[in-house]
Amino acid sequence: MKRDHQEISGSGSKPAESSSIKGKLWEEDPDAGGMDDELLAVLGYKVRSSDMADVAQKLEMLEKVMGTAQEDGISQLGDTVHFNPSDLSGWVQNLLIEFNGPTTTPDPNFNDDSEYDLRAIPGVAAYPPVKSDPGLENTRKRAKTESSSSSSSTTTRPVVLIDSQEAGVRLVHTLMACAEAVQQDNLKLADALVKHIGLLASSQTGAMRKVATYFAEALARRIYRIFPPDSLDPSYNDKLQIPFYETCPYLKFAHFTANQAILEAFSMASRVHVIDFGLKQGMQWPALMQALALRPGGPPEFRLTGIGPPQPDNTDALQQVGWKLAQLAERIGIEFEFRGFVANSLADLEPEMLDIRPPEIEVVAVNAVFELHPLLARPGGIEKVVSSIKAMKPKIVTVVEQEANHNGPVFLDRFTEALHYYSTLFDSLEGSGVAPASQDLAMSELYLGRQICNVVACEGMDRVERHEPLTQWRTRMETAGFSTVHLGSNAYKQASMLLALFASGDGYRVEENNGCLMLGWHTRPLIATSAWRLAGTESGSELTQELS
Amino acid sequence: MAGSNEVNLNECKMVVPLNTWVLISSFKLAYNLLRRPDGTFNRHLAEFLDRKVPANLNPVDGVFSFDVLIDRATGLLCRIYRPATAEEPEPNIVELEKPVVGDVVPVIIFFHGGSFAHSSANSAIYDTLCRRLVGICKAVVVSVNYRRAPENRYPCAYDDGWTAFKWVNSRSWLQSRKDSKVHIYLAGDSSGGNIAHHVAARAVESGIDVLGNILLNPMFGGQERTESEKRLDGKYFVTLRDRDWYWRAFLPEGENRDHPACNPFGPNGRSLEGIKFPKSLVVVAGLDLIQDWQLAYVEGLRKAGKEVKLLYMEQATIGFYLLPNNNHFHTVMDEISEFVSSDC
């Protein structure tokens, strides 16, 4: 084969020059030691410049060890659990350990969760009216499909355009113009535009129409100051969550990923206590209880404290849920204790009320699924709650929040963010294969519509849907003295498989982001699960002891 | 064997900066974990490990991006990169498809690499590369998130490329003022380069102009074992064994590497004579074991009378264009810029 070198225009081919480049590059700035390599950071890898040679050495060692092991690749190492791929040094180190040391000493951190029975996740409304088996025998086939995941997020504005059709664009344009008019207090213009939106929306179909309608209504409420009458009844919201749970995988994902983290934290404990900041219908717990029942070595004693808002008709909703869970516990053979706490706000809670037992006796998990952001509506709210959490000395804190920036100071920015976010959410409902006219779908949309209304029409203490992105929650938790418990590749894989099982829409994506997992629609992350421990403690089994 | 392994590693480290070596070695390691001997692929782990970045309407270094779902049926998504303008430093949702401004605005349709199996349009390495291309070429870049092997074999990637091509070509907001046409370039690295070739062929056959092809270390092959494959096997991050695995994963079952997808100018290939194939810029890394196939591709274009410029980067390995820390990188970026701007 002839090599035609006449067109070389690169100067990198001259040996003398390349060695001088090499010399310059490898004699890195000695002051840069403690800093991350900038070029790799852009590509998503955090490696300190001073660690680079060490990481290289480890890679070489791995190469040598792998090279002599076998010819056909080392894909069985793919079955080990991987954590935090951005930390290249740690990742390589763990692989070295996996490869060198045979698995004689099972690391409690690397808990294999293959016992987690996906069928235990309620696939229909968790508690049918008659006291009967809550769908444990739901035998949905486990389809083996591959799914891919999508973007991570920092402080960015990710957008996925679904329909870039002419009419849709005009509708969005008008919505934005109306919001801008509201921002500028030009209520006359806003009023005219809101009416126009109604017209435009009626010529649309599908998700865009629904979203536009909800946003238009919210804008109208803001303009005319007619605030939603039932915004003060959180128990109604709780009930709307059931159809939302059924029609799309967001809540299932939230429960599932949180449960994974809790399971791992509970791994050797003989007594465990889950404090659920928003019990609602208790849909998260059957699956956890099932997994605990199947634990090798037997289940722990399981205590659940459920917190919820007061009911308008004064019924004890919490006790009802607790009772149903108790029945389940009896059926599957777990010792179960339940306590319900009614509170208007989590900030009203005092840890002493909750009968926390010492960590040597009982391992505590605090669970907050979409429960923290409302606290941002009152000054001091979140700080009080975070410090309460600390006082509960939890081994693990699981937090699930909307991955969105709906709490900025400027109305127009909030509006725009919310428009993107809910457009994507509604589109996913549309695409998920639920029958278009189903009651559940309508209720799910109403559930989301109420959120939209709150973000757009309300202010002050009434505006409780104060969603903030993961980066902000991270900062908050870290400042308060928590550190991340990494959700690993096993949780990722099972979450992906869960999506294949429950979500017939193909666009759902799970993504790993610095140890947290996010669920999104195509490339737009929509909710994020993170797990936390008190900094300076281990999340392995060291804090718990088997008690006879 | 251990001895020659050591020589390989040391040689390899001589020719790239340390952080590049670490980056590409860790890809190599990860990829080894993902390919199974039976031809299946650990997709969950692949997606878990891949570092991705979101689109961002907030301009970074003068470039903003957004994703568009262009085909619901296949879930085909593209990421669009546009230069932020002085008038609209912070684009909002209605500005996304605002008409491009200029007599001549190049639109580069980019196909990411990954040997048909790895990576995505939102992989950090490719998001970074596409952003650079916007600045260098003063272009709009459309990065195609094509379906990957082994789950989706030939011709899925090409079909997705073609779908994206038609979509781009039909966007009025991408038209250059001069002739109210979209000025399209096709670009890609590794498997993306291969896709660019095949999409270009389909485009010109359909009577749509492509102004140029930019192929970075394009992935081609054939049944024969070439001299460069034997000489460089395992020496610079890549082995013949892994190349074979990817072709088996992409090509239809039962086909060999002389399939025209893999070997466009091979025994089953087709001459491009008489077809209005665009001019090509082909970058070949001198330490890439498949260079003989890439050079054969260049030769094939020449024989068919097509304009082609070869950039042979003697001391370059695969992936040199991922980090701006070497001369090959800068040379190639300059050449790409010139290649695109020479369109008048």
Side-chain angles (χ1 to χ4, degrees):
Chain A
M1 302 248 174
K2 249 172 46 172
R3 278 222 191 108
D4 191 343
H5 289 220
Q6 286 157 15
E7 283 145 300
I8 299 171
S9 33
S11 51
S13 54
K14 303 197 191 93
E17 206 173 307
S18 60
S19 64
S20 74
I21 293 167
K22 182 190 78 178
K24 214 167 34 162
L25 286 162
W26 286 9
E27 285 159 24
E28 293 291 353
D29 181 358
D31 297 325
M35 308 263 294
D36 286 344
D37 180 288
E38 275 175 20
L39 296 183
L40 291 187
V42 170
L43 304 185
Y45 296 101
K46 295 195 190 91
V47 185
R48 279 202 292 264
S49 305
S50 51
D51 289 341
M52 195 70 66
D54 179 60
V55 176
Q57 198 178 42
K58 288 191 183 125
L59 282 164
E60 279 179 307
M61 276 165 59
L62 259 173
E63 172 111 23
K64 282 186 192 131
V65 176
M66 278 160 36
T68 51
Q70 35 121 342
E71 291 290 314
D72 253 336
I74 35 116
S75 52
Q76 74 280 3
L77 267 187
D79 294 333
T80 69
V81 183
H82 298 251
F83 292 91
N84 202 5
S86 287
D87 171 19
L88 259 185
S89 180
W91 180 67
V92 176
Q93 177 74 15
N94 286 336
L95 280 173
L96 257 178
I97 294 172
E98 279 296 318
F99 208 86
N100 276 332
T103 50
T104 49
T105 46
D107 187 331
N109 280 328
F110 286 64
N111 205 22
D112 181 78
D113 291 295
S114 52
E115 295 305 327
Y116 199 119
D117 188 354
L118 293 178
R119 288 172 301 161
I121 298 169
V124 297
Y127 302 113
V130 180
K131 280 184 203 166
S132 58
D133 195 306
L136 263 186
E137 314 308 308
N138 223 352
T139 46
R140 274 207 166 108
K141 282 207 294 250
R142 253 184 253 210
K144 259 196 203 157
T145 53
E146 307 287 2
S147 81
S148 51
S149 84
S150 67
S151 52
S152 66
S153 100
T154 53
T155 48
T156 59
R157 282 195 289 152
V159 170
V160 183
L161 283 189
I162 308 294
D163 284 312
S164 54
Q165 287 154 7
E166 212 24 69
V169 173
R170 236 180 314 139
L171 184 49
V172 169
H173 214 301
T174 316
L175 279 163
M176 296 292 302
C178 184
E180 203 168 331
V182 169
Q183 170 81 40
Q184 287 159 1
D185 225 16
N186 186 347
L187 297 180
K188 205 160 153 217
L189 174 60
D191 174 53
L193 286 168
V194 124
K195 293 181 170 120
H196 194 51
I197 292 167
L199 271 170
L200 284 173
S202 62
S203 66
Q204 281 290 290
T205 53
M208 197 57 224
R209 177 197 189 121
K210 293 170 186 169
V211 171
T213 307
Y214 279 116
F215 273 89
E217 184 199 320
L219 279 167
R221 286 188 180 277
R222 192 181 181 97
I223 296 166
Y224 305 122
R225 299 179 189 279
I226 311 169
F227 299 109
D230 50 3
S231 64
L232 300 172
D233 178 12
S235 69
Y236 183 53
N237 245 10
D238 291 1
K239 296 188 181 68
L240 282 179
Q241 246 197 21
I242 301 178
F244 183 67
Y245 182 92
E246 297 299 334
T247 54
C248 52
Y250 299 104
L251 271 178
K252 293 187 188 99
F253 172 86
H255 293 169
F256 180 83
T257 46
N259 283 348
Q260 287 279 94
I262 295 172
L263 255 181
E264 284 183 32
F266 281 176
S267 66
M268 311 271 246
S270 52
R271 290 194 193 90
V272 302
H273 181 194
V274 172
I275 301 171
D276 188 358
F277 274 5
L279 184 67
K280 298 188 167 55
Q281 308 300 317
M283 289 181 292
Q284 183 171 347
W285 307 118
L288 181 72
M289 289 161 70
Q290 181 78 330
L292 287 173
L294 293 174
R295 203 173 68 161
E301 290 174 26
F302 181 63
R303 197 152 73 94
L304 176 65
T305 300
I307 299 164
Q311 298 297 302
D313 53 359
N314 281 322
T315 53
D316 197 341
L318 294 172
Q319 279 305 321
Q320 286 175 6
V321 174
W323 173 233
K324 285 170 183 160
L325 289 171
Q327 291 181 290
L328 169 65
E330 194 178 316
R331 206 171 19 251
I332 62 180
I334 298 192
E335 289 208 34
F336 179 73
E337 203 187 306
F338 176 82
R339 228 157 141 201
F341 271 97
V342 172
N344 271 306
S345 163
L346 289 169
D348 296 337
L349 270 181
E350 300 296 335
E352 305 82 67
M353 298 170 176
L354 300 179
D355 184 23
I356 309 283
R357 294 166 200 167
E360 314 83 69
I361 302 205
E362 190 176 64
V363 173
V364 174
V366 174
N367 183 74
V369 175
F370 303 135
E371 293 294 335
L372 294 187
H373 64 263
L375 296 164
L376 299 173
R378 47 191 265 195
I382 189 68
E383 290 81 359
K384 167 86 193 301
V385 171
V386 169
S387 101
S388 296
I389 296 176
K390 283 172 84 169
M392 297 171 195
K393 295 194 171 48
K395 180 124 172 270
I396 189 119
V397 182
T398 47
V399 175
V400 184
E401 283 291 329
Q402 290 90 344
E403 182 58 15
N405 203 350
H406 298 157
N407 197 24
V410 179
F411 169 73
L412 185 56
D413 292 343
R414 289 203 306 271
F415 183 88
T416 314
E417 289 293 309
L419 188 56
H420 293 178
Y421 183 82
Y422 287 101
S423 296
T424 309
L425 247 189
F426 269 79
D427 191 70
S428 76
L429 287 180
E430 204 81 1
S432 64
V434 181
S438 89
Q439 168 86 335
D440 273 354
L441 183 60
M443 301 295 273
S444 304
E445 289 165 0
L446 180 59
Y447 172 77
L448 295 175
R450 285 161 60 84
Q451 288 179 12
I452 293 171
C453 205
N454 191 272
V455 175
V456 173
C458 298
E459 283 301 341
M461 301 252 293
D462 289 334
R463 180 158 63 85
V464 293
E465 299 296 347
R466 294 183 180 252
H467 312 143
E468 290 190 351
L470 179 60
T471 42
Q472 274 166 250
W473 287 110
R474 232 185 229 131
T475 305
R476 215 172 255 123
M477 294 298 281
E478 282 168 3
T479 309
F482 290 93
S483 40
T484 309
V485 175
H486 290 130
L487 293 159
S489 57
N490 56 340
Y492 180 97
K493 174 175 172 180
Q494 294 212 296
S496 298
M497 286 166 59
L498 168 75
L499 288 176
L501 189 57
F502 285 103
S504 39
D506 214 11
Y508 293 105
R509 302 278 185 270
V510 184
E511 196 177 306
E512 188 277 344
N513 180 309
N514 284 303
C516 305
L517 292 184
M518 304 207 279
L519 174 61
W521 180 242
H522 294 284
T523 49
R524 169 69 212 248
L526 293 168
I527 66 173
T529 302
S530 57
W532 304 90
R533 61 181 163 83
L534 289 163
T537 64
E538 287 298 310
S539 71
S541 60
E542 288 90 64
L543 281 188
T544 67
Q545 292 155 32
E546 300 288 331
L547 291 179
S548 53
Chain B
M1 265 316 280
S4 71
N5 239 0
E6 263 178 59
V7 169
N8 290 343
L9 294 172
N10 287 336
E11 247 178 72
C12 201
K13 268 170 113 179
M14 291 292 162
V15 295
V16 295
L18 188 58
N19 53 0
T20 301
W21 192 90
V22 164
L23 179 74
I24 302 189
S25 299
S26 55
F27 283 166
K28 176 173 122 182
L29 172 60
Y31 293 1
N32 282 341
L33 295 177
L34 302 172
R35 295 190 303 270
R36 296 199 194 97
D38 65 356
T40 60
F41 190 76
N42 192 339
R43 182 61 65 191
H44 292 305
L45 185 58
E47 295 304 311
F48 178 80
L49 293 176
D50 190 24
R51 306 292 79 202
K52 300 187 197 282
V53 295
N56 194 355
L57 278 196
N58 293 332
V60 175
D61 293 334
V63 179
F64 70 92
S65 63
F66 58 96
D67 294 337
V68 185
L69 190 66
I70 67 177
D71 184 338
R72 251 192 205 284
T74 53
L76 181 61
L77 192 124
C78 287
R79 177 162 292 181
I80 315 234
Y81 300 84
R82 295 187 67 165
T85 59
E87 303 85 54
E88 284 300 341
E90 282 204 11
N92 69 47
I93 194 170
V94 297
E95 252 99 48
L96 299 186
E97 294 182 323
K98 211 161 96 155
V100 293
V101 177
D103 270 349
V104 172
V105 180
V107 179
I108 302 176
I109 303 180
F110 181 79
F111 301 97
H112 67 81
S115 306
F116 294 104
H118 297 281
S119 296
S120 307
N122 59 349
S123 295
I125 47 173
Y126 289 113
D127 185 84
T128 305
L129 181 57
C130 286
R131 284 171 169 277
R132 277 196 227 286
L133 289 177
V134 173
I136 290 166
C137 302
K138 313 275 182 288
V140 172
V141 176
V142 178
S143 184
V144 183
N145 200 41
Y146 58 89
R147 282 170 292 167
R148 297 161 303 185
E151 300 95 321
N152 302 286
R153 291 176 177 270
Y154 165 96
C156 293
Y158 299 155
D159 287 346
D160 288 351
W162 178 236
T163 303
F165 182 89
K166 284 187 294 181
W167 184 87
V168 167
N169 193 49
S170 61
R171 297 304 102 185
S172 55
W173 59 276
L174 284 174
Q175 289 170 350
S176 292
R177 212 165 28 211
K178 167 173 139 175
D179 50 7
S180 295
K181 281 174 150 182
V182 185
H183 288 216
I184 298 178
Y185 291 81
L186 297 173
D189 72 309
S190 167
S191 52
N194 175 297
I195 296 171
H197 165 83
H198 289 287
V199 172
R202 196 160 168 187
V204 300
E205 262 165 20
S206 309
I208 309 175
D209 280 339
V210 176
L211 292 171
N213 275 5
I214 300 162
L215 273 49
L216 290 174
N217 301 3
M219 187 170 157
F220 295 115
Q223 269 309 103
E224 186 194 335
R225 296 303 193 193
T226 61
E227 186 274 339
S228 69
E229 284 168 314
K230 293 184 221 171
R231 175 170 49 93
L232 294 171
D233 184 9
K235 293 229 163 59
Y236 296 96
F237 307 112
V238 185
T239 65
L240 209 44
R241 176 181 232 106
D242 70 62
R243 294 298 96 202
D244 288 353
W245 191 98
Y246 291 115
W247 284 120
R248 270 199 308 275
F250 173 70
L251 294 170
E253 306 213 35
E255 293 283 350
N256 70 17
R257 291 185 302 274
D258 281 334
H259 187 281
C262 176
N263 195 355
F265 295 123
N268 303 314
R270 209 190 34 164
S271 168
L272 294 180
E273 269 177 77
I275 299 175
K276 201 180 157 201
F277 201 78
K279 64 173 182 175
S280 298
L281 177 66
V282 182
V283 177
V284 177
L287 299 176
D288 187 344
L289 80 169
I290 62 168
Q291 62 188 267
D292 285 348
W293 292 111
Q294 296 160 337
L295 294 166
Y297 173 78
V298 170
E299 208 37 50
L301 287 177
R302 284 211 179 107
K303 281 208 188 98
K306 306 305 163 206
E307 191 188 328
V308 52
K309 179 167 188 182
L310 167 66
L311 277 184
Y312 186 84
M313 316 302 298
E314 221 172 87
Q315 286 289 81
T317 64
I318 54 141
F320 72 87
Y321 45 82
L322 296 177
L323 290 177
N325 58 3
N326 59 86
N327 282 351
H328 315 298
F329 174 92
H330 296 293
T331 303
V332 166
M333 293 302 145
D334 288 345
E335 289 285 339
I336 292 176
S337 169
E338 207 188 289
F339 186 76
V340 170
S341 69
S342 63
D343 153 40
C344 286

